[in-house]
Amino acid sequence: MKEQIDLRGLNFEEGYIAVLDKPLRWTSTDVVRKIKFTLRRLGYRKIKVGHAGTLDPLATGILLVCIGRATKLVDALQAEEKEYVADVMLGATTPSHDLEHPVDRTFPTEHITREKVLKALSSLTGERLQEPPVYSAKKIDGTRAYELARAGEAVEMRKALVNIYEMELLEYDLPRIRIRVRCSKGTYIRSLAHEIGLALESGAHLTSLRRTRSGGFTLERAFELEEFLKKLQELETK
């Protein structure tokens, strides 16, 4: 049973970590901005608010929002391992490796079997270099990669060291598969979906993503953004 949220008597300047279930199509920055705006209406005029680990707009699940002195914990929280449940569509790719862009290429899937999927997942498990998506917030000479990509410029992404600790095949229903991924900071599940397609000598892209755990924080402790904001608004103005 989910624990009840009670914000009464809290001094948010002293530090508070809001464990939220990010809504679909909200950016992580949108969530931070909305909470900061609501806190300012409560009298916290200069309070710091930040998140510990970006979730794409098309992803849902655990987003840790650090408030007040808890913002000092952002780096440490970001460094902790994450866990996701992802739906991957085989046989087609998109420029962003997810549903942000339409399919640009299709590939055969008749040769794919459950055994080959399991082998592909195993081959991608462990510590290795991964190339972030072109449509990502990674900075290149001070500019976000997605801004360059949207402007039609050629973007060369620098690979980063990641660790896929564990991958489990939850559902096999071609051309769709569902996987559970336990991974390190900085892992792009969109890129992982693309890599699965390559490993299967086909194509693939992410169709849904849900972060189910961040460090020791799980969905059982998470609250809907709307519920959290309502609880904030119920507090008396300072």
Side-chain angles (χ1 to χ4, degrees), residues 175-200:
R176 182 189 69 87
I177 62 172
R178 174 170 289 180
I179 58 176
R180 180 180 64 84
V181 183
R182 188 167 61 85
C183 58
S184 67
K185 166 193 174 182
T187 304
Y188 278 88
I189 308 301
R190 284 186 286 149
S191 289
L192 181 59
H194 181 71
E195 292 164 340
I196 290 171
L198 293 176
L200 290 169

mmCIF file of all heavy atoms in Angstrom, residues 175-200:
data_model
loop_
_atom_site.group_PDB
_atom_site.id
_atom_site.type_symbol
_atom_site.label_atom_id
_atom_site.label_comp_id
_atom_site.label_asym_id
_atom_site.label_seq_id
_atom_site.Cartn_x
_atom_site.Cartn_y
_atom_site.Cartn_z
ATOM 1 N N PRO A 175 6.018 -7.844 -33.659
ATOM 2 C CA PRO A 175 7.356 -7.222 -33.658
ATOM 3 C C PRO A 175 7.691 -6.438 -32.381
ATOM 4 O O PRO A 175 8.664 -5.695 -32.359
ATOM 5 C CB PRO A 175 7.272 -6.270 -34.853
ATOM 6 C CG PRO A 175 5.838 -5.849 -34.867
ATOM 7 C CD PRO A 175 5.051 -7.079 -34.454
ATOM 8 N N ARG A 176 6.918 -6.620 -31.309
ATOM 9 C CA ARG A 176 7.173 -5.878 -30.076
ATOM 10 C C ARG A 176 7.771 -6.796 -29.023
ATOM 11 O O ARG A 176 7.387 -7.953 -28.890
ATOM 12 C CB ARG A 176 5.859 -5.276 -29.548
ATOM 13 C CG ARG A 176 6.029 -4.420 -28.277
ATOM 14 C CD ARG A 176 4.670 -4.057 -27.689
ATOM 15 N NE ARG A 176 4.003 -5.225 -27.133
ATOM 16 C CZ ARG A 176 4.168 -5.667 -25.892
ATOM 17 N NH1 ARG A 176 5.012 -5.049 -25.063
ATOM 18 N NH2 ARG A 176 3.508 -6.731 -25.463
ATOM 19 N N ILE A 177 8.731 -6.235 -28.268
ATOM 20 C CA ILE A 177 9.237 -6.917 -27.080
ATOM 21 C C ILE A 177 9.206 -5.941 -25.915
ATOM 22 O O ILE A 177 9.267 -4.726 -26.113
ATOM 23 C CB ILE A 177 10.675 -7.461 -27.271
ATOM 24 C CG1 ILE A 177 11.657 -6.316 -27.548
ATOM 25 C CG2 ILE A 177 10.713 -8.514 -28.371
ATOM 26 C CD1 ILE A 177 13.119 -6.742 -27.563
ATOM 27 N N ARG A 178 9.083 -6.485 -24.721
ATOM 28 C CA ARG A 178 9.159 -5.656 -23.502
ATOM 29 C C ARG A 178 10.327 -6.161 -22.676
ATOM 30 O O ARG A 178 10.463 -7.374 -22.467
ATOM 31 C CB ARG A 178 7.861 -5.727 -22.698
ATOM 32 C CG ARG A 178 7.921 -5.004 -21.354
ATOM 33 C CD ARG A 178 6.559 -4.887 -20.715
ATOM 34 N NE ARG A 178 5.734 -3.926 -21.447
ATOM 35 C CZ ARG A 178 4.474 -3.603 -21.118
ATOM 36 N NH1 ARG A 178 3.904 -4.186 -20.064
ATOM 37 N NH2 ARG A 178 3.805 -2.730 -21.832
ATOM 38 N N ILE A 179 11.164 -5.229 -22.223
ATOM 39 C CA ILE A 179 12.350 -5.609 -21.468
ATOM 40 C C ILE A 179 12.432 -4.823 -20.159
ATOM 41 O O ILE A 179 11.872 -3.729 -20.043
ATOM 42 C CB ILE A 179 13.645 -5.376 -22.275
ATOM 43 C CG1 ILE A 179 13.760 -3.899 -22.695
ATOM 44 C CG2 ILE A 179 13.693 -6.292 -23.485
ATOM 45 C CD1 ILE A 179 15.065 -3.563 -23.417
ATOM 46 N N ARG A 180 13.119 -5.431 -19.197
ATOM 47 C CA ARG A 180 13.464 -4.732 -17.953
ATOM 48 C C ARG A 180 14.961 -4.512 -17.986
ATOM 49 O O ARG A 180 15.731 -5.440 -18.258
ATOM 50 C CB ARG A 180 13.070 -5.555 -16.727
ATOM 51 C CG ARG A 180 13.401 -4.876 -15.391
ATOM 52 C CD ARG A 180 12.990 -5.750 -14.215
ATOM 53 N NE ARG A 180 13.750 -6.995 -14.174
ATOM 54 C CZ ARG A 180 14.958 -7.120 -13.621
ATOM 55 N NH1 ARG A 180 15.559 -6.065 -13.065
ATOM 56 N NH2 ARG A 180 15.569 -8.295 -13.623
ATOM 57 N N VAL A 181 15.386 -3.291 -17.705
ATOM 58 C CA VAL A 181 16.801 -2.926 -17.790
ATOM 59 C C VAL A 181 17.267 -2.326 -16.475
ATOM 60 O O VAL A 181 16.638 -1.402 -15.947
ATOM 61 C CB VAL A 181 17.052 -1.901 -18.916
ATOM 62 C CG1 VAL A 181 18.538 -1.592 -19.042
ATOM 63 C CG2 VAL A 181 16.485 -2.390 -20.241
ATOM 64 N N ARG A 182 18.352 -2.858 -15.944
ATOM 65 C CA ARG A 182 19.004 -2.271 -14.764
ATOM 66 C C ARG A 182 20.355 -1.769 -15.228
ATOM 67 O O ARG A 182 21.164 -2.527 -15.760
ATOM 68 C CB ARG A 182 19.148 -3.333 -13.662
ATOM 69 C CG ARG A 182 19.624 -2.794 -12.324
ATOM 70 C CD ARG A 182 19.444 -3.827 -11.223
ATOM 71 N NE ARG A 182 20.205 -5.037 -11.478
ATOM 72 C CZ ARG A 182 21.493 -5.204 -11.146
ATOM 73 N NH1 ARG A 182 22.159 -4.210 -10.550
ATOM 74 N NH2 ARG A 182 22.102 -6.341 -11.403
ATOM 75 N N CYS A 183 20.591 -0.454 -15.067
ATOM 76 C CA CYS A 183 21.763 0.142 -15.710
ATOM 77 C C CYS A 183 22.366 1.284 -14.893
ATOM 78 O O CYS A 183 21.803 1.727 -13.893
ATOM 79 C CB CYS A 183 21.374 0.656 -17.099
ATOM 80 S SG CYS A 183 20.036 1.886 -17.063
ATOM 81 N N SER A 184 23.500 1.756 -15.393
ATOM 82 C CA SER A 184 24.227 2.832 -14.729
ATOM 83 C C SER A 184 23.715 4.197 -15.170
ATOM 84 O O SER A 184 22.964 4.329 -16.150
ATOM 85 C CB SER A 184 25.717 2.728 -15.059
ATOM 86 O OG SER A 184 25.922 2.987 -16.448
ATOM 87 N N LYS A 185 24.183 5.203 -14.486
ATOM 88 C CA LYS A 185 23.933 6.589 -14.858
ATOM 89 C C LYS A 185 24.406 6.826 -16.296
ATOM 90 O O LYS A 185 25.410 6.267 -16.741
ATOM 91 C CB LYS A 185 24.725 7.505 -13.912
ATOM 92 C CG LYS A 185 24.827 8.948 -14.370
ATOM 93 C CD LYS A 185 25.867 9.704 -13.562
ATOM 94 C CE LYS A 185 26.072 11.102 -14.135
ATOM 95 N NZ LYS A 185 27.106 11.860 -13.412
ATOM 96 N N GLY A 186 23.655 7.626 -17.028
ATOM 97 C CA GLY A 186 24.076 8.018 -18.365
ATOM 98 C C GLY A 186 23.673 7.072 -19.477
ATOM 99 O O GLY A 186 23.946 7.334 -20.647
ATOM 100 N N THR A 187 22.999 5.969 -19.123
ATOM 101 C CA THR A 187 22.550 5.027 -20.150
ATOM 102 C C THR A 187 21.318 5.573 -20.856
ATOM 103 O O THR A 187 20.372 6.014 -20.213
ATOM 104 C CB THR A 187 22.204 3.662 -19.519
ATOM 105 O OG1 THR A 187 23.338 3.170 -18.802
ATOM 106 C CG2 THR A 187 21.804 2.658 -20.591
ATOM 107 N N TYR A 188 21.341 5.547 -22.166
ATOM 108 C CA TYR A 188 20.176 5.952 -22.955
ATOM 109 C C TYR A 188 19.428 4.696 -23.405
ATOM 110 O O TYR A 188 19.955 3.901 -24.184
ATOM 111 C CB TYR A 188 20.596 6.771 -24.178
ATOM 112 C CG TYR A 188 20.858 8.224 -23.879
ATOM 113 C CD1 TYR A 188 22.121 8.651 -23.484
ATOM 114 C CD2 TYR A 188 19.840 9.170 -23.982
ATOM 115 C CE1 TYR A 188 22.368 9.989 -23.210
ATOM 116 C CE2 TYR A 188 20.077 10.509 -23.705
ATOM 117 C CZ TYR A 188 21.338 10.915 -23.321
ATOM 118 O OH TYR A 188 21.574 12.242 -23.042
ATOM 119 N N ILE A 189 18.215 4.525 -22.912
ATOM 120 C CA ILE A 189 17.429 3.354 -23.291
ATOM 121 C C ILE A 189 17.002 3.454 -24.751
ATOM 122 O O ILE A 189 16.847 2.442 -25.435
ATOM 123 C CB ILE A 189 16.206 3.184 -22.366
ATOM 124 C CG1 ILE A 189 16.650 3.208 -20.884
ATOM 125 C CG2 ILE A 189 15.485 1.866 -22.666
ATOM 126 C CD1 ILE A 189 17.643 2.128 -20.514
ATOM 127 N N ARG A 190 16.859 4.665 -25.266
ATOM 128 C CA ARG A 190 16.578 4.841 -26.699
ATOM 129 C C ARG A 190 17.710 4.273 -27.539
ATOM 130 O O ARG A 190 17.488 3.590 -28.538
ATOM 131 C CB ARG A 190 16.398 6.322 -27.030
ATOM 132 C CG ARG A 190 15.064 6.903 -26.612
ATOM 133 C CD ARG A 190 14.940 8.317 -27.119
ATOM 134 N NE ARG A 190 15.747 9.268 -26.376
ATOM 135 C CZ ARG A 190 16.279 10.369 -26.892
ATOM 136 N NH1 ARG A 190 16.117 10.650 -28.175
ATOM 137 N NH2 ARG A 190 16.963 11.211 -26.138
ATOM 138 N N SER A 191 18.934 4.579 -27.140
ATOM 139 C CA SER A 191 20.090 4.040 -27.856
ATOM 140 C C SER A 191 20.155 2.526 -27.714
ATOM 141 O O SER A 191 20.513 1.814 -28.661
ATOM 142 C CB SER A 191 21.385 4.665 -27.323
ATOM 143 O OG SER A 191 21.496 6.019 -27.715
ATOM 144 N N LEU A 192 19.786 2.036 -26.536
ATOM 145 C CA LEU A 192 19.781 0.594 -26.304
ATOM 146 C C LEU A 192 18.791 -0.088 -27.243
ATOM 147 O O LEU A 192 19.086 -1.145 -27.811
ATOM 148 C CB LEU A 192 19.440 0.304 -24.841
ATOM 149 C CG LEU A 192 19.408 -1.169 -24.435
ATOM 150 C CD1 LEU A 192 20.752 -1.839 -24.682
ATOM 151 C CD2 LEU A 192 19.016 -1.292 -22.963
ATOM 152 N N ALA A 193 17.622 0.512 -27.418
ATOM 153 C CA ALA A 193 16.633 -0.050 -28.342
ATOM 154 C C ALA A 193 17.208 -0.123 -29.756
ATOM 155 O O ALA A 193 17.058 -1.138 -30.454
ATOM 156 C CB ALA A 193 15.364 0.802 -28.336
ATOM 157 N N HIS A 194 17.887 0.943 -30.178
ATOM 158 C CA HIS A 194 18.512 0.972 -31.499
ATOM 159 C C HIS A 194 19.566 -0.119 -31.622
ATOM 160 O O HIS A 194 19.661 -0.808 -32.659
ATOM 161 C CB HIS A 194 19.137 2.350 -31.725
ATOM 162 C CG HIS A 194 19.794 2.518 -33.059
ATOM 163 N ND1 HIS A 194 19.085 2.598 -34.233
ATOM 164 C CD2 HIS A 194 21.105 2.601 -33.404
ATOM 165 C CE1 HIS A 194 19.934 2.735 -35.254
ATOM 166 N NE2 HIS A 194 21.157 2.739 -34.774
ATOM 167 N N GLU A 195 20.349 -0.300 -30.553
ATOM 168 C CA GLU A 195 21.401 -1.316 -30.554
ATOM 169 C C GLU A 195 20.821 -2.727 -30.627
ATOM 170 O O GLU A 195 21.404 -3.618 -31.253
ATOM 171 C CB GLU A 195 22.258 -1.166 -29.294
ATOM 172 C CG GLU A 195 23.087 0.106 -29.272
ATOM 173 C CD GLU A 195 23.631 0.441 -27.887
ATOM 174 O OE1 GLU A 195 23.080 -0.064 -26.883
ATOM 175 O OE2 GLU A 195 24.604 1.202 -27.816
ATOM 176 N N ILE A 196 19.669 -2.928 -29.994
ATOM 177 C CA ILE A 196 19.004 -4.234 -30.059
ATOM 178 C C ILE A 196 18.624 -4.541 -31.509
ATOM 179 O O ILE A 196 18.798 -5.664 -31.995
ATOM 180 C CB ILE A 196 17.762 -4.267 -29.143
ATOM 181 C CG1 ILE A 196 18.198 -4.256 -27.665
ATOM 182 C CG2 ILE A 196 16.895 -5.491 -29.436
ATOM 183 C CD1 ILE A 196 17.057 -4.070 -26.683
ATOM 184 N N GLY A 197 18.123 -3.526 -32.209
ATOM 185 C CA GLY A 197 17.790 -3.707 -33.615
ATOM 186 C C GLY A 197 18.997 -4.106 -34.442
ATOM 187 O O GLY A 197 18.931 -5.021 -35.282
ATOM 188 N N LEU A 198 20.119 -3.438 -34.207
ATOM 189 C CA LEU A 198 21.348 -3.761 -34.941
ATOM 190 C C LEU A 198 21.817 -5.177 -34.634
ATOM 191 O O LEU A 198 22.245 -5.911 -35.529
ATOM 192 C CB LEU A 198 22.443 -2.750 -34.572
ATOM 193 C CG LEU A 198 22.227 -1.301 -35.026
ATOM 194 C CD1 LEU A 198 23.348 -0.415 -34.492
ATOM 195 C CD2 LEU A 198 22.161 -1.209 -36.547
ATOM 196 N N ALA A 199 21.748 -5.555 -33.359
ATOM 197 C CA ALA A 199 22.196 -6.890 -32.949
ATOM 198 C C ALA A 199 21.345 -7.983 -33.585
ATOM 199 O O ALA A 199 21.810 -9.111 -33.792
ATOM 200 C CB ALA A 199 22.165 -7.012 -31.427
ATOM 201 N N LEU A 200 20.100 -7.637 -33.913
ATOM 202 C CA LEU A 200 19.183 -8.604 -34.520
ATOM 203 C C LEU A 200 19.189 -8.515 -36.040
ATOM 204 O O LEU A 200 18.350 -9.132 -36.698
ATOM 205 C CB LEU A 200 17.763 -8.384 -33.984
ATOM 206 C CG LEU A 200 17.536 -8.756 -32.523
ATOM 207 C CD1 LEU A 200 16.191 -8.244 -32.032
ATOM 208 C CD2 LEU A 200 17.629 -10.268 -32.342
#
